[in-house]
Amino acid sequence: MTTIDAEIQSAQHATEVEVPAVTGDPALIGLPSFIVGSVALGLVLVGYVSAAGVGASLPIIVAATALGLTIAAVWAAAVGQSAVAGVFGIFAGFWLSYATLVLGLTHNWFAIAAGDALHTQGLFVISWLVVIGMLTLATLRLPAVYTVLFALIEIALVLVLIGTLQQSAGTLKVGGVVVFVFAAVGVYLFFNSASQATGGKALPLGNPLVRS
């Protein structure tokens, strides 16, 4: 029995040794997922589709953005990047909740009266304004490009909130333009990650606004 136990323990140890450590940069999935959803949302806001086609962005947002960010969050957690995992996880929640909001309102899932639909949208945006504002402040010790990214997202949400509550298509279009701008910042960050992943140098990301 002792010999059998020793062999089992040896086999288990060999199996544990053979399992490779999780490595890599989860941003290579997370950033493109974020970018494609942002571009889709921006196109909706600037009026590329009619008001009746507000759900046009949902296939991308649900099947690519939310799913991709969830995968990236799990990957980041697996490699010990807690802050990155938190950010990707939070944005996965944002996109999933946006899709749920649109589908819920258009299909009356939550039995929200028509007169409350406008302020339901306002509630959604205000809630996320708080969270994104929190993230913006939390990035002040990171390279400046991250603070710029979150600040632009916050500005876009403010414009969407104003445009929604005032039912102003013009303000929503400006919000859509800001969405395209922060998507462009995401593209820059992706190029930084891709450059390093393919053996190149890191791109300049700017000095932190607050130094430790």
Side-chain angles (χ1 to χ4, degrees):
M1 291 296 293
T2 303
T3 302
I4 294 174
D5 290 341
E7 291 177 353
I8 292 174
Q9 292 177 358
S10 176
Q12 290 175 340
H13 178 69
T15 301
E16 291 174 359
V17 171
E18 291 172 2
V19 175
V22 178
T23 59
D25 184 359
L28 291 173
I29 289 179
L31 287 170
S33 300
F34 174 80
I35 292 163
V36 69
S38 299
V39 171
L41 177 60
L43 288 170
V44 169
L45 291 173
V46 299
Y48 180 76
V49 293
S50 68
V54 66
S57 62
L58 297 189
I60 289 175
I61 286 173
V62 175
T65 302
L67 179 59
L69 287 170
T70 300
I71 293 171
V74 173
W75 182 359
V79 298
Q81 297 181 10
S82 299
V84 176
V87 170
F88 285 149
I90 288 169
F91 276 104
F94 169 82
W95 292 108
L96 279 172
S97 62
Y98 171 76
T100 303
L101 173 73
V102 173
L103 289 171
L105 289 177
T106 55
H107 292 81
N108 197 30
W109 286 354
F110 309 121
I112 297 171
D116 293 325
L118 188 63
H119 286 286
T120 298
Q121 296 172 65
L123 180 152
F124 173 87
V125 179
I126 291 169
S127 299
W128 280 106
L129 270 170
V130 172
V131 174
I132 302 304
M134 174 187 72
L135 287 176
T136 303
L137 294 176
T139 63
L140 294 179
R141 287 189 172 85
L142 296 178
V145 66
Y146 295 103
T147 305
V148 170
L149 174 64
F150 290 122
L152 287 169
I153 296 172
E154 187 83 346
I155 292 169
L157 286 173
V158 169
L159 290 168
V160 169
L161 178 63
I162 295 171
T164 298
L165 295 180
Q166 295 184 350
Q167 299 184 345
S168 170
T171 304
L172 289 174
K173 285 183 179 180
V174 175
V177 172
V178 177
V179 170
F180 291 141
V181 174
F182 71 64
V185 175
V187 171
Y188 183 84
L189 286 170
F190 173 75
F191 285 156
N192 173 63
S193 294
S195 176
Q196 295 179 75
T198 54
K201 295 181 179 179
L203 301 180
L205 301 181
N207 295 322
L209 299 180
V210 174
R211 298 179 183 274
S212 302

